Amino acid sequence: MRIELTSIFVDDQRAALDFYTDVLGFTKRHDIPLGDNFWLTVASPEVPDGPELLLEPSDHPAARAYRAALVEDGIPLVQFAVDDVEAEHARLTGRGVVFTQPPTDIGTAVVAVFDDTCGNLVQIVAVKPETVAAG
């Protein structure tokens, strides 16, 4: 079993595509019209044939309530791995991204949380090498 696709609910698919590609650096994989919405996915340029992230419309009332509750409690909806959280924090801050939690050393990793401008909090994480070998 492996993860091929996961999704994140977004307020506006086109705005999310711009943010996830132009700001975060993902690449567009699929952009297929489906009525008023799209099957719109992005992937890491480091693993172009790897797992995809579906930018899914948040039209369903349960999705809106779920995301609002997570944001209210400061809980990220998704997490992305990076090599260096501080460097990524500096790069994204320079691009206007607003962080709700600055780079924080939590012992086994360094994490930071930002607002994706699409209704979600996103955590970036760099696991410390010594904890990977020990795991």
Side-chain angles (χ1 to χ4, degrees):
M1 191 175 299
R2 64 189 175 277
I3 297 171
E4 295 272 333
L5 175 79
T6 191
S7 62
I8 186 169
F9 290 106
V10 297
D11 296 330
D12 178 308
Q13 286 184 294
R14 290 293 158 202
L17 178 63
D18 289 344
F19 182 82
Y20 278 78
T21 56
D22 297 343
V23 177
L24 297 185
F26 289 102
T27 56
K28 180 172 64 173
R29 284 274 290 278
H30 293 98
D31 188 351
I32 302 166
L34 295 172
D36 293 335
N37 297 307
F38 302 86
W39 181 262
L40 188 57
T41 67
V42 296
S44 170
E46 296 173 21
V47 189
D49 294 326
E52 295 175 69
L53 179 65
L54 173 63
L55 304 175
E56 190 161 358
S58 63
D59 299 341
H60 194 281
R64 288 192 296 272
Y66 171 66
R67 291 182 326 132
L70 289 177
V71 169
E72 172 86 18
D73 291 343
I75 300 171
L77 183 64
V78 68
Q79 176 175 281
F80 300 128
V82 297
D83 293 329
D84 182 334
V85 170
E86 273 118 18
E88 197 64 19
H89 174 266
R91 181 184 80 81
L92 293 175
T93 301
R95 306 275 330 257
V97 174
V98 176
F99 278 78
T100 61
Q101 177 184 327
T104 304
D105 188 321
I106 60 168
T108 58
V110 177
V111 299
V113 178
F114 64 86
D115 181 335
D116 77 351
T117 72
C118 306
N120 306 291
L121 296 179
V122 174
Q123 180 168 283
I124 54 175
V125 60
V127 176
K128 293 180 181 177
E130 60 272 12
T131 61
V132 173

